[in-house]
Amino acid sequence: MIKIKLNFICSVLMLLFFTFQSSRSMAQEAGIVVAGKIVDEKNQPLSLVSVSEKGSKNTTISGEDGTYKITVRSKDAIIVFSSTGFSTEQSRVGDQREINIQLGQLVQSLDDVVVIGYGTQRARKVTGAMGRIGSREIKQVAVVGLDQALQGRIAGVQVAENSAEPGADVSIRIRGVASITRGSDPLVVVDGIPMSVKLSAINPSDIQSIDVLKDAASAAIYGSRGSAGVVLVTTKRGKTGKLKVNLDAYTAMQTVPKRLSLLNGSQFARVANENLVNGGQTPNPEWLNPEIVTSTDWQDEIFRTAPMSNYNISISGGSEKSRNFLSFGYTGQEGVVSNNASFKRFTGRFNSDYDISSRLKVGVNVNFNTDQKSGIRTQDDNTGAIISILQAQPTNPLYASTDGPIGSHLYGFEGYAFNTRQNLYYAGIGNNPVYVANNHFFSRGRGTQLLANAFGELELIKGLKFKSLIGYTTENGFGVSGNNKVPSPASNGGGGLNDRTNIGSSFSQASQWNWVNTLSYSTEFGKHSISSVIGSDALKFKGSSLNVNAFGAPLNQNSITAATDLSGRPQGNEYIPFSLLSYFARVQYDYDDRLLLSGVFRRDGTSKFGPKQTWGNFPSVSVGWRISKEKFMESVSFVDELKIRASYGAVGNQNIPDLQYLSQYGTAGGNYAYTFNGVLVQGLRPTVLGNDSIHWERNVERNIGLDASFLKGKITLSVDVYRKVLKDLLGDVPVPFYAAPFSGSLIKNAFSMQSSGIELNLGLNQKIGAVNFSVNANFSTLQNKVTALTPGDDKSFVFQNISAISEMKATSRSQVGERFGNFWGFVTDGIIQNADEATKYKAMGFQFAEPGDRKYKDLNNDGKLNDDDRTIIGNGLPGYIYGLNARAEYKGFDISAFFNGQGNVEIANMTSYFTSSVNFRNPGLVNASTNILNAWKGEGTSNEFPRNSSKSIQSNRWFSNTYIEDGSFLRLRNLQIGYTMPVKIMNKIGASAARVYVAGQNLFTITNYSGYDPEVGNSRGTGSGNVGVAGVDYGRYPTARMFTVGLTAQF
Amino acid sequence: MKNKLFFLLLISAVVLSIGSCKKSFFDATTNDGTINDATAYNSKADFDAGVAGAYVNLQSAFETTIRLPGFISNDVSNGEGNAVSFDRLFDNTYFLSDENWRELYKIVNNANIVIGKLEGVEPGILTDVEKNRDMGQVKFLRGFAFLHLTQGFGDIPMPLQGYTTTQNSMSCTPQADVLKQVIADLTDAADKLPEVQEWAGADLGRVGKGSALGYLALANMYSQDWPTAGAASERLLSLTKPKYELKADVRDEFSAKNRNLTSSVFEVQFSPKSADKWVGWGGQAPHNGHTMPTQTAPPGIGDAWVNFGGWGNYIISPAALSSYEPGDDRRKKLIIKYPEAYKGELMTDSFKAKDWPKDVDFLAKRTEFGYSTKYWYGVSRLPAGENIIMMRFAEVLLNYAEIQFNRGQQADAYAQLNKIRIRAKLAPKAVSSDKEVFMTDLMNERRHELMLEPGFWYHLTRTGRAAKFLKDNYNITMLPKWEHLPIPSRERDVNPNLCTNGY
């Protein structure tokens, strides 16, 4: 194998070598000298604008003050002015000797240099499907992570916050899900190094641009890791010129924009006693007079206005020979739920470039991040903060002035009031949820990441460059979580389950090294242009962790000390090392800048598969035709650019666990033990059933696209249509329990899926009088279908429990022939209105059904109502997503509005399960939504809300279409108004540029969703199974509305 | 030009240098903390852990082997005081038989892996003594699991090695052949294992020769190989470490304080220390404790009497209660009925009439039932850490009585039987040479001696007396297929080659 590889690479080398011999250099001629100044729309000088004579190699760039000087051959020469992010202008020299030009800012330009993985390319030459955002878009929205900055910006890229808790996870899906049972997270590459740590380690302020490789042909250069798309991040670098200091600061206030409508104290007292009486129980005497009960609004008690602030300072500049960029950033965000959630981050970056000689360049990039997160329990947790405030009895007070027993059922502790009938083991549900969130549960983490890389680039001969990049990333983490002591009053017997503290603590350390070598060569001869790169990329990832648990530490102690009794043995875990070795080659050819061809080949070797399956090959090819360059288009003056593209390629999926090819044995985290002579002895059992024939999941993708620009860039349009065939997807295929009793399944490349979509990007740039106006909109559709699961079984499915409450039977199900991750449940059929109907329902298996209980449809018409009557009732993956950014500038003022949204999507509102009845849920009756005021009270009173009775049967709460809601929304994600100070004022304060702005984030959301927020994201779900679950609201931490005041200044 | 060519070659060498790395670059199997097929079972420690692992699922399998046959016999019913309907018990999706199946096969699977690894062990890793002792233990465990599986399910798939893909489509092995394998495993175990008390110190609680012989005798009774069954029993009776015995007081055979009694042939070990935490609910999670005291104590009696206050989930039917002869010590000392008193080993005060639940539901529905105290001693560690006895010497003697009768030794058969009766403070039975008379006497004794223990129902099915028992005691007409549990539907979905066993 090695030999074949060697031969292959040698052949490519020889090819390159001979090609290079045929190159030639251009001779420079004497001619006319033209000079001038280039400014932007605000008359600010523009440096680094490319100024070139059309049809020649003759190029220069503008200086720091925007001036340039170029010598052209004749009066007929046309000078082209172009710069990334600006319109391209042309001017015929004629008799002019001074040409001053104003360039308009573009959101995107075909002359942009885009990053394509191991190299760059002009946007106009791109033949794959890509998307890009620049620093301006990144800065527009106040975000912590670069992933959030992508939200709504690029067609086909869906970004959702899985939780809006500060520092929480974000999910990015590029062209939908890429796997059925494994991950769908894209590969993120920062300055050529794949990220092995969380994305928030990179400060968005340090980012110059983000390029997204969407189709297989673009991502094929990353081969086995490209199936879910690739996000290429380029950080800012110093430029030649005088030192610049940039200051960027904002401060914001966050609030929860919505409250759910819950019963107040007197409503609850009345409804709760009704519930008891209707169920034949004794009413609670304390609720007999609803007018005089306490009324605590637990939502108001836990939600708060929370600050966020962000400060960045960067220093950049450089001489001819060296350029540096240095930045520091601080972000502090407090949570809007409880005073116990916060995120603090400090980042530093140093990017440096040195020209040792005209042929040798070296540089380093160093990124440091340290952060602290304090979290609370919310998501996926029915004792978490959100669900417990919704259920807390409003008739209980929050505070107590004395400690110890108060009245008939309260107990004061640390200034808070507790319900003494309850043990805090049920902390979330009925007890004081504010105390629990603020003082009882705690979860704190600290992490430090250092990402460093160094590179050198040597130009061997003109056009032939060798580049070597060595990276090292290291990460340390420390986390502590647990719960503090809570009262266990004597009336409850004392000594209850959770009267002891419980602390878990973990340390982790991980590192990754990378070594990337590339040899690139580009040349032009005649009308032919070739650009090629070959290279190798190697990485190794290692790490380890240690966890310790302790019980019984003193009150409020929240770390494990030497004196703390450990309740279990410390768990050490050396991570399975991951290594990847790749060889790749890419050749891009174009004829006359008109016919474009690109071919990529990557070969990946991995530690994830067995010796027989180490290597995988990933080829791709793409072509483009710039119709606008054809002769017949010359007369069509309104078209600046028209290109059609087509691509075909195969990529793999990196998101798979290690070492699945070998059978493994373990102690199930130390919990698999037997006792001999009274002493626990750890036992071994099979943990992984190995399969040495597993190999890469493959995505074979076709893409057809069109890029167009009209009226000198006033209108730009980009359309892509794609179809992905995801095959050889890894899945757990059932095997009999008698053979594999611990797993009942074997991992195999058995599953497959198809997905397709249409993506649209539309840009408008128009100057109306003194107003510059631009709109950039994107829209994309996402469809998928599961095509195969268990071999030979066309009815097979994989499922995931989406609720911890087993009586709901709530699952999502991916079934052959259907969409991925459908919600699977019953279909309601109204409410049983009278005894006759009840009799009919009893006969169908609802033994205890009474008038007022919920009916379901007997979908299989077998006369019985059971699990077989469940069906597809929704899907949490959006059918389409869109974003729209509108911007207007007038003199110093600018205003921008950024909308994003999704449609054809459902949300499984699991949160509403908990507020659907006031029924006893250990340890007491719980509060409910005001919907219960409309509960069935007799024939004809309601066909929607079941009776309010403690005897109401559990089938009333089965997972059905009553929990499924339309998840479509349109959100004003950001509205920003800025003012750039006039030069005179700036000069007085010594600044060269300064802008102040105010912004509102999430100002409004148009949606029919009844929960806090329709942006639900991908929860991991609860219970068994490993299928990701999208669109399940299970006490999700709500997204805040944010008001921001900010300043950016340059000195 | 030459210079440049040299340069180019140098760089090619750099680019390719990583490729010259050895295979170890991709090695994910070392230093990773996992024990995988590339590294496992190369040390004594792995074998020790593997053998311990083969025991673990006894802790999750024992409960269904007590409860499920108890429900089927109707002598035990669930917490509602209603017999579980036979429709449900013999449904191929019923969770108890599914759990019983899975947990027993976990023992088989773990034992198979260790047996395979022991057979191929490199010299020098284990001494011959260690190897024999390991083999004896895992063979016992596999034999034990297969015996219980075939007792419950009849013909069953019988994998004899760790997972291979060919097992996916294997067909059932007839019960007679399963029993041959059981007998081979237990015979080997009985030869290789030391006696229970020969295990020293830290190894106490491991199975011994006596454990293997007790089940070996039982397995041979299925094929009515009385001489072999008798020989196994007699080998057991002749053991000295310990010399198995009946305790003078039957109460003393169940204890929280004393473990691995000389009256027990096989006990599932649990940890006595409350620090050894329970890991999870349900049969499929590993346990270092169990809930049998809570499950069997009267419901809602409060935390002062039993952990979690008692659930009353496995209770003894009125018919079973009334079948005890007057004065039967086992009824008096091992079962209570409302409003009787009981002083468990771990109680400071007696549980008295006033301590019984007072709620209407209980008084209306539950007072006619019996509550076994075999597992309920008072409040102990949470969850309970007492050992669970799978086979007592009393059962061995009753089995030996059956063997002796069938060998024509009627007098000795009655002598064995009467040891149990006398210990229960009942009059000895007179010797009869009528097999039906003897079997009736014997099965009555088994019923009362083994109440809420694993064996009784399977003795009924083995001897063909199950239908009569259900008819006489509960007026239930037994369907022939009820001789066996249905193989769980999921297994037959995944492998259609499996047998149906009449379902």
Side-chain angles (χ1 to χ4, degrees), chain A residues 234-522:
Chain A
T234 307
T235 59
K236 290 175 178 168
R237 312 200 72 79
K239 290 172 183 167
T240 302
K242 71 171 200 234
L243 217 55
K244 277 188 210 164
V245 177
N246 276 290
L247 182 70
D248 175 4
Y250 65 77
T251 180
M253 293 310 288
Q254 312 163 90
T255 56
V256 177
K258 188 171 176 180
R259 297 283 186 278
L260 301 189
S261 177
L262 300 175
L263 300 176
N264 63 27
S266 49
Q267 287 171 323
F268 173 76
R270 193 159 48 78
V271 170
N273 266 350
E274 257 172 43
N275 180 276
L276 294 171
V277 171
N278 289 347
Q281 296 188 44
T282 322
N284 181 345
E286 292 179 25
W287 296 331
L288 283 177
N289 188 351
E291 302 313 313
I292 58 160
V293 296
T294 307
S295 185
T296 304
D297 185 331
W298 291 101
Q299 290 184 94
D300 282 349
E301 298 296 351
I302 203 157
F303 291 154
R304 61 184 192 133
T305 301
M308 175 176 181
S309 55
N310 187 74
Y311 308 98
N312 292 295
I313 186 162
S314 71
I315 303 161
S316 71
S319 64
E320 290 292 315
K321 296 284 181 194
S322 75
R323 295 164 299 280
N324 298 299
F325 173 87
L326 178 68
S327 85
F328 298 99
Y330 168 81
T331 304
Q333 186 179 10
E334 306 254 316
V336 289
V337 180
S338 151
N339 59 21
N340 205 7
S342 65
F343 180 74
K344 289 192 184 80
R345 175 180 68 184
F346 177 80
T347 59
R349 172 167 280 275
F350 179 65
N351 286 356
S352 182
D353 299 271
Y354 305 97
D355 298 350
I356 307 280
S357 74
S358 62
R359 296 196 341 190
L360 179 62
K361 293 172 182 173
V362 297
V364 294
N365 302 323
V366 181
N367 187 96
F368 173 78
N369 173 69
T370 182
D371 55 37
Q372 275 184 52
K373 180 177 182 291
S374 176
I376 60 167
R377 305 201 321 188
T378 51
Q379 205 104 340
D380 282 0
D381 191 340
N382 55 43
T383 58
I386 301 295
I387 288 174
S388 56
I389 53 167
L390 299 180
Q391 296 196 96
Q393 293 179 356
T395 48
N396 278 340
L398 171 60
Y399 299 115
S401 50
T402 54
D403 278 6
I406 305 165
S408 61
H409 75 283
L410 293 177
Y411 190 90
F413 180 72
E414 290 191 330
Y416 287 86
F418 289 82
N419 193 340
T420 55
R421 295 202 188 102
Q422 299 159 0
N423 186 309
L424 266 216
Y425 177 70
Y426 303 107
I429 297 176
N431 228 311
N432 191 319
V434 173
Y435 176 88
V436 169
N438 290 358
N439 303 50
H440 180 55
F441 292 116
F442 59 90
S443 169
R444 298 186 192 98
R446 284 200 304 272
T448 303
Q449 291 83 22
L450 181 69
L451 296 80
N453 60 68
F455 58 89
E457 184 180 89
L458 178 64
E459 186 164 26
L460 297 161
I461 47 170
K462 191 163 168 51
L464 180 65
K465 289 175 181 167
F466 171 70
K467 186 173 178 183
S468 189
L469 170 65
I470 292 177
Y472 185 73
T473 304
T474 181
E475 172 175 44
N476 291 294
F478 169 73
V480 58
S481 64
N483 49 259
N484 270 320
K485 209 162 190 163
V486 290
S488 185
S491 62
N492 193 37
L497 278 176
N498 266 34
D499 63 342
R500 298 192 299 170
T501 58
N502 165 7
I503 306 173
S505 190
S506 66
F507 300 82
S508 65
Q509 173 280 322
S511 63
Q512 175 182 287
W513 64 253
N514 299 70
W515 190 19
V516 183
N517 292 294
T518 53
L519 191 59
S520 61
Y521 181 65
S522 46

Side-chain angles (χ1 to χ4, degrees), chain B residues 126-137:
Chain B
L126 297 175
T127 65
D128 283 351
V129 171
E130 286 162 350
K131 189 177 166 183
N132 274 337
R133 288 185 165 196
D134 284 358
M135 190 65 101
Q137 291 175 79

Side-chain angles (χ1 to χ4, degrees), chain A residues 13 17 461 466 536 540 574 579 583 605 607 662-665 672 674-677 683-684 686 735 737-738 744, chain B residues 4 8 11-12 15 19 25-26 29 31-32 35-37 49 57 102 110 167 201-202 204 269 490-491 495:
Chain A
L13 279 174
F17 182 70
I461 47 170
F466 171 70
S536 67
K540 193 143 198 157
E574 190 84 8
S579 42
Y583 299 98
S607 59
L662 268 182
S663 287
Q664 288 165 48
Y665 308 91
Y672 200 72
Y674 196 71
T675 300
F676 295 118
N677 198 27
L684 277 187
V735 296
F737 279 125
Y738 65 76
Chain B
K4 283 176 180 169
L8 209 61
I11 286 160
S12 324
V15 172
F25 181 76
F26 294 121
T29 63
N31 300 324
D32 55 20
I35 301 167
N36 55 60
D37 257 352
N57 291 93
R102 282 181 66 169
N110 274 332
Q167 291 171 358
L204 284 176
Q269 310 288 307
R490 192 253 186 207
E491 300 291 83
N495 176 9

Side-chain angles (χ1 to χ4, degrees), chain A residues 38-42 44-49 81-89 102-112 136 712-713 765:
Chain A
I38 306 165
V39 293
D40 67 9
E41 291 148 349
K42 290 172 205 155
Q44 300 289 319
L46 274 178
S47 61
L48 296 166
V49 176
F81 303 87
S82 63
S83 180
T84 302
F86 290 88
S87 62
T88 299
E89 299 290 338
Q102 188 180 38
L103 298 185
Q105 242 176 356
L106 282 186
V107 176
Q108 267 168 1
S109 156
L110 292 168
D111 289 310
D112 282 2
R136 195 170 77 176
K712 293 193 170 174
N765 290 287

Side-chain angles (χ1 to χ4, degrees), chain A residues 749-824:
Chain A
N749 292 89
F751 295 2
S752 59
M753 180 163 65
Q754 289 182 7
S755 55
S756 57
I758 299 169
E759 295 166 352
L760 204 68
N761 259 306
L762 181 68
L764 299 171
N765 290 287
Q766 180 66 48
K767 195 164 184 174
I768 306 166
V771 182
N772 276 311
F773 186 70
S774 70
V775 174
N776 196 12
N778 67 75
F779 174 86
S780 39
T781 66
L782 298 156
Q783 280 117 36
N784 68 54
K785 190 169 93 170
V786 176
T787 49
L789 295 169
T790 304
D793 184 355
D794 60 5
K795 291 192 173 58
S796 57
F797 59 87
V798 291
F799 74 98
Q800 164 94 51
N801 291 327
I802 57 177
S803 165
I805 306 296
S806 59
E807 72 171 32
M808 290 194 73
K809 309 172 178 208
T811 62
S812 82
R813 178 184 280 223
S814 302
Q815 186 170 334
V816 175
E818 305 289 348
R819 287 175 74 188
F820 173 81
N822 283 316
F823 299 130
W824 185 254

Side-chain angles (χ1 to χ4, degrees), chain B residues 49-325:
Chain B
V51 171
Y55 280 90
V56 172
N57 291 93
L58 289 169
Q59 294 179 341
S60 45
F62 85 85
E63 198 170 327
T64 48
T65 64
I66 292 173
R67 189 176 162 194
L68 187 57
F71 284 176
I72 297 170
S73 73
N74 268 253
D75 276 355
V76 177
S77 52
N78 69 6
E80 294 300 312
N82 304 318
V84 180
S85 86
F86 275 70
D87 273 5
R88 193 84 198 98
L89 285 172
F90 294 98
D91 185 316
N92 64 2
T93 60
Y94 188 48
F95 75 102
L96 280 183
S97 45
D98 184 60
E99 186 176 310
N100 192 240
W101 175 274
R102 282 181 66 169
E103 298 308 313
L104 287 169
Y105 271 113
K106 284 178 183 172
I107 300 172
V108 169
N109 185 247
N110 274 332
N112 277 339
I113 291 167
V114 178
I115 290 168
K117 299 288 183 187
L118 276 174
E119 281 166 351
V121 64
E122 300 283 327
I125 291 173
L126 297 175
T127 65
D128 283 351
V129 171
E130 286 162 350
K131 189 177 166 183
N132 274 337
R133 288 185 165 196
D134 284 358
M135 190 65 101
Q137 291 175 79
V138 289
K139 284 264 177 94
F140 168 84
L141 291 165
R142 185 169 75 177
F144 170 88
F146 276 142
L147 178 59
H148 281 80
L149 281 162
T150 196
Q151 281 182 331
F153 297 90
D155 300 348
I156 52 165
M158 192 174 72
L160 293 174
Q161 50 183 307
Y163 177 76
T164 63
T165 50
T166 54
Q167 291 171 358
N168 290 352
S169 54
M170 73 198 303
S171 50
C172 289
T173 302
Q175 185 175 45
D177 294 333
V178 175
L179 285 164
K180 278 181 195 157
Q181 183 63 44
V182 170
I183 289 164
D185 281 345
L186 292 174
T187 305
D188 199 22
D191 292 344
K192 290 190 164 125
L193 283 171
E195 288 195 48
V196 166
Q197 289 182 351
E198 282 177 315
W199 288 111
D203 289 322
L204 284 176
R206 290 179 188 272
V207 293
K209 211 179 271 296
S211 323
L213 291 168
Y215 286 99
L216 181 58
L218 176 60
N220 279 299
M221 290 164 73
Y222 271 84
S223 51
Q224 305 189 356
D225 183 352
W226 308 113
T228 314
S233 304
E234 279 144 17
R235 273 175 79 189
L236 188 154
L237 291 169
S238 68
L239 296 177
T240 56
K241 293 172 184 167
K243 177 153 186 55
Y244 292 103
E245 59 174 0
L246 291 179
K247 302 284 178 200
D249 185 339
V250 68
R251 178 73 246 178
D252 294 343
E253 299 199 356
F254 300 90
S255 172
K257 293 172 182 164
N258 299 309
R259 310 166 77 83
N260 300 316
L261 297 161
T262 53
S263 55
S264 297
V265 170
F266 181 39
E267 294 184 5
V268 177
Q269 310 288 307
F270 283 92
S271 171
K273 286 182 294 195
S274 57
D276 293 339
K277 278 291 156 189
W278 197 15
V279 182
W281 298 88
Q284 279 143 38
H287 303 59
N288 297 312
H290 57 83
T291 56
M292 284 303 276
T294 302
Q295 302 270 10
T296 55
I301 55 176
D303 287 339
W305 300 110
V306 66
N307 299 317
F308 299 117
W311 294 344
N313 280 348
Y314 315 149
I315 59 186
I316 297 164
S317 71
L321 279 183
S322 62
S323 73
Y324 281 88
E325 292 168 52

